[in-house]
Amino acid sequence: MSTRRTLAVVTAGLSQPSSSRLLADRLATATADGLLEAGQETDVEVVELREHAHAIVDAMLTRFPSGELATALDTVTGADGLVMVSPLFTTTYSGLFKSFVDVIDPDALTGKPVLLGATGGTSRHSLALDYSMRPLLTYLRTQVVPTSVFAATDDWAGDGSDALARRIGRAGRELADAVAVRPAATGQEDPFGDTPDFAQLLGGS
Amino acid sequence: MQFGIFSVSDVTTDPTTGHTPDDTERVRSMLTIARHADAAGLDVFATGEHHNPPFVASSPTTMLGYLAGVTENITLSTATTLITTNDPVRLAEEYAMLQVLSGGRMDLMMGRGNTGPVYPWFGQDIRNGIPLAIENYALLRRLWTEDVVDWSGQFRTPLQGFTATPRPLDGVPPFVWHGSIRSPEIAEQAAYYGDGFLHNNIFWPMHHTKQMVRFYRQRYEHHGHGRADQAIVGLGGQVFVRKNSQDAVREFRPYFDVAPVYGHGPSLEDFSAQTPLTVGSPQQVIDRYGAFVEDVGYYQRQMFLIDHAGLPLKTVLEQIDLLAEEIVPELRKIVEAKRPADDVPLNPPTHAERVAAARTAGASGATHVGDGGDAVTGTRAEEAVR
């Protein structure tokens, strides 16, 4: 087994345990299963935004992330793939979820495969994934996989159908396929590596 | 190593008394602070430049020119001079005038300014921040080093046969720093010219400061000005000191909690852990700041922010005394002992040292235009008009 992949799982659920975390874990498992079929092992690292809620607000005010939030951001930006799950509040992703995305360096997620999930009380809001969450991650130039998974109360109620499980399985395979073909993450890049030489800066002015 | 103070000139209500100084009171308190720092023996006083409330320091050379006349030893500087929105022609004139008035007891630090709406008030656009900083500074240097300048560029009207007066003192321009927090292009600019680089890290974690300074040092060496460890580096800092650390924390916390920039955010304890802010006893400041050389290498100037967030003048003057008497002598001893080699500059270059270096290099020329004709063409102004 030569390749190990890192999957970062961001969940914005507020209760503990939360249905968002439940969904996130199942999406992560489905992705890891898919990668295993491709002969790759997966390390899953979960970032519960609830634990960083105060630090996220602090980072918005001070403009730098503190201790454990900085580590969480490194986990997310350094991962080979990303699962992101938010509860839907008032028609869209939660404020905490958006605030976390706001403190990520806007260039740091470029090209990263992302699987989106959301939870809510009623399936009437399921399109929020596609009209709000997907454009947000598209703006950050991530590679959002086609299937995103919305889980409403009905889905957890277990009416005997395996619809949710099938959606999770399909989404996980899509993320696994996207991750499997990527070159392995190389770790920390030189933060100033693309700074132009001054002669170039002078010439361009 | 030099130790000084810098002011952002904010007018802020004292949260413990409700007193808000008016602009006149705030300007005068800055003068008192600078004179007190000079008398106490600190090395540098620097003023910010801002053109929007709640800041009052819109006219740095007026303030520093006055201070040049009423202080004895302190180096007068800026933090920062806006190289983007100021006309480089005016900067060349004003700072050469300050250099002459102060007998060379000055330097200045270039900065871009990060407040978008300010730019159009001066005919500029923040989206051109970096190109403005580059073009304007390139012109400013020529205006100081060449007696007669023909120039055209992107951001101001062309110059034909222009001479900026007064010519720099002894024919040697002021020493220049470049301040930047996040833009490596500015560190690159400082390195390219062999100028100083000050990372104002007061609101930033040291690992970030460390990366920026390392980048500047590498590029300084790359551009052939000396070894990386010989580059001229400055850092910002922020302290509040009392003999007993508990007293310092108790007194400063109400100011911290509602301070501009970081107020209503992280706790005093968290922010202190993450940034250079040190609230405590003189020994705590000495221990903390004495260790920064381990992160960025030996550096030449340490600045402290001590007069913001509505702190009363009396308190600020006490902070200056504590710095000058209880902290700087010991701190200087500790950090200077860590200087890696004798050919690593102890301090930023003085005017006298720069004149001597220019003479050695044979580069120092005429100092004044004199007699109505300029040194290069020998023509008079009225003849040039013809």
Side-chain angles (χ1 to χ4, degrees):
Chain A
M1 201 66 59
S2 56
T3 310
R4 286 194 82 87
R5 297 296 188 173
T6 308
L7 186 64
V9 178
V10 174
T11 161
L14 294 183
S15 55
Q16 290 206 325
S18 67
S19 51
S20 289
R21 172 65 191 268
L22 208 60
L23 176 60
D25 284 346
R26 290 184 62 180
L27 292 170
T29 304
T31 307
D33 289 349
L35 280 165
L36 202 58
E37 281 175 26
Q40 301 184 6
E41 287 199 75
T42 307
D43 295 318
V44 175
E45 305 201 39
V46 178
V47 176
E48 285 262 14
L49 296 190
R50 188 184 199 286
E51 295 167 10
H52 303 286
H54 284 271
I56 289 168
V57 175
D58 288 349
M60 300 191 89
L61 296 177
T62 62
R63 288 180 281 175
F64 67 85
S66 55
E68 288 177 18
L69 175 60
T71 309
L73 286 167
D74 287 345
T75 299
V76 168
T77 58
D80 295 297
L82 194 52
V83 172
M84 303 184 95
V85 181
S86 175
L88 296 184
F89 290 171
T90 333
T91 77
T92 185
Y93 39 70
S94 75
L96 178 61
F97 179 82
K98 177 60 159 56
S99 295
F100 177 73
V101 172
D102 286 345
V103 300
I104 299 174
D105 179 325
D107 295 321
L109 297 184
T110 302
K112 198 178 297 298
V114 178
L115 165 55
L116 297 177
T119 58
T122 153
S123 55
R124 278 197 291 273
H125 291 300
S126 59
L127 279 176
L129 271 168
D130 286 310
Y131 71 68
S132 69
M133 243 167 132
R134 186 179 293 273
L136 177 68
L137 275 299
T138 301
Y139 173 76
L140 294 171
R141 297 190 294 273
T142 62
Q143 183 190 341
V144 187
V145 300
T147 301
S148 47
V149 180
F150 182 83
T153 308
D154 290 349
D155 292 300
W156 303 115
D159 59 358
S161 92
D162 59 352
L164 177 64
R166 278 190 283 112
R167 290 207 299 282
I168 288 171
R170 184 168 71 236
R173 274 193 305 280
E174 288 173 6
L175 181 60
D177 289 347
V179 169
V181 296
R182 281 165 56 86
T186 52
Q188 208 75 27
E189 285 178 25
D190 176 0
F192 308 129
D194 56 357
T195 308
D197 186 90
F198 198 74
Q200 202 182 327
L201 287 172
L202 264 182
S205 70
Chain B
M1 184 181 293
Q2 290 183 334
F3 296 91
I5 56 174
F6 61 142
S7 176
V8 289
S9 80
D10 58 316
V11 173
T12 306
T13 302
D14 181 335
T16 66
T17 63
H19 173 68
T20 309
D22 66 14
D23 288 2
T24 302
E25 180 184 344
R26 183 65 173 110
V27 169
R28 287 180 180 159
S29 73
M30 286 177 71
L31 300 178
T32 306
I33 288 164
R35 296 179 73 164
H36 196 80
D38 179 50
L42 293 184
D43 302 312
V44 186
F45 172 81
T47 175
E49 177 183 339
H50 297 277
H51 300 276
N52 53 324
F55 307 105
V56 296
S58 58
S59 183
T61 51
T62 310
M63 175 176 278
L64 296 178
Y66 170 83
L67 288 173
V70 297
T71 55
E72 296 293 330
N73 300 310
I74 200 163
T75 296
L76 302 167
S77 187
T78 58
T80 60
T81 294
L82 301 175
I83 187 63
T84 47
T85 47
N86 283 304
D87 180 357
V89 169
R90 293 293 293 140
L91 289 179
E93 295 171 341
E94 288 177 350
Y95 284 90
M97 180 65 86
L98 178 63
Q99 188 194 29
V100 170
L101 289 180
S102 66
R105 185 157 54 83
M106 55 79 70
D107 52 34
L108 69 163
M109 175 160 62
M110 301 303 171
R112 297 203 307 286
N114 61 4
T115 310
V118 173
Y119 281 67
W121 300 338
F122 297 90
Q124 301 298 353
D125 181 339
I126 196 171
R127 290 169 295 184
N128 295 327
I130 296 269
L132 276 165
I134 287 163
E135 176 176 303
N136 286 354
Y137 183 61
L139 173 56
L140 174 60
R141 285 179 61 94
R142 287 192 56 195
L143 294 170
W144 276 339
T145 53
E146 299 172 29
D147 284 342
V148 182
V149 172
D150 293 337
W151 178 91
S152 72
Q154 194 184 338
F155 295 115
R156 61 150 292 142
T157 49
L159 299 171
Q160 287 294 333
F162 179 76
T163 299
T165 61
R167 301 305 300 146
L169 182 65
D170 304 312
V172 175
F175 182 69
V176 172
W177 301 79
H178 299 264
S180 178
I181 295 170
R182 280 191 291 191
S183 304
E185 292 90 342
I186 298 301
E188 169 72 6
Q189 182 185 30
Y192 176 81
Y193 290 112
D195 294 339
F197 179 68
L198 188 138
H199 192 262
N200 185 14
N201 53 318
I202 50 176
F203 304 135
W204 288 82
M206 184 48 92
H207 70 82
H208 174 76
T209 305
K210 201 171 157 173
Q211 284 177 341
M212 283 289 278
V213 172
R214 188 196 301 136
F215 178 71
Y216 159 68
R217 288 186 183 282
Q218 286 167 352
R219 299 301 296 171
Y220 182 93
E221 182 166 310
H222 169 86
H223 288 297
H225 300 291
R227 300 192 312 266
D229 66 357
Q230 293 174 314
I232 305 296
V233 173
L235 293 186
Q238 190 187 2
V239 295
F240 187 86
V241 194
R242 290 298 181 197
K243 297 252 178 204
N244 298 314
S245 61
Q246 295 91 333
D247 293 339
V249 171
R250 194 179 312 119
E251 189 177 342
F252 189 64
R253 193 185 298 279
Y255 295 93
F256 175 89
D257 284 347
V258 299
V261 184
Y262 49 73
H264 308 283
S267 67
L268 173 61
E269 286 71 16
D270 283 351
F271 198 67
S272 299
Q274 293 151 14
T275 74
L277 173 64
T278 305
V279 181
S281 66
Q283 192 57 47
Q284 284 174 287
V285 174
I286 291 166
D287 291 346
R288 187 106 190 265
Y289 283 77
F292 287 168
V293 290
E294 324 285 353
D295 290 310
V296 300
Y298 181 82
Y299 59 103
Q300 286 75 20
R301 179 175 287 180
Q302 173 66 58
M303 300 294 281
F304 294 102
L305 175 67
I306 57 165
D307 73 334
H308 74 313
L311 288 164
L313 178 60
K314 177 172 172 292
T315 305
V316 175
L317 300 182
E318 289 163 0
Q319 295 298 304
I320 291 171
D321 291 336
L322 284 161
L323 271 175
E325 290 161 20
E326 311 274 331
I327 294 171
V328 165
E330 183 64 19
L331 182 54
R332 195 194 310 272
K333 217 180 296 169
I334 289 171
V335 293
E336 290 187 354
K338 294 178 182 171
R339 190 163 60 120
D342 285 345
D343 60 357
V344 169
L346 190 62
N347 294 306
T350 62
H351 178 69
E353 286 164 357
R354 284 169 59 76
V355 170
R359 297 260 149 86
T360 307
S364 176
T367 59
H368 298 282
V369 175
D371 292 340
D374 72 60
V376 173
T377 65
T379 53
R380 293 164 171 277
E382 52 274 30
E383 291 165 345
V385 170
R386 191 180 46 186

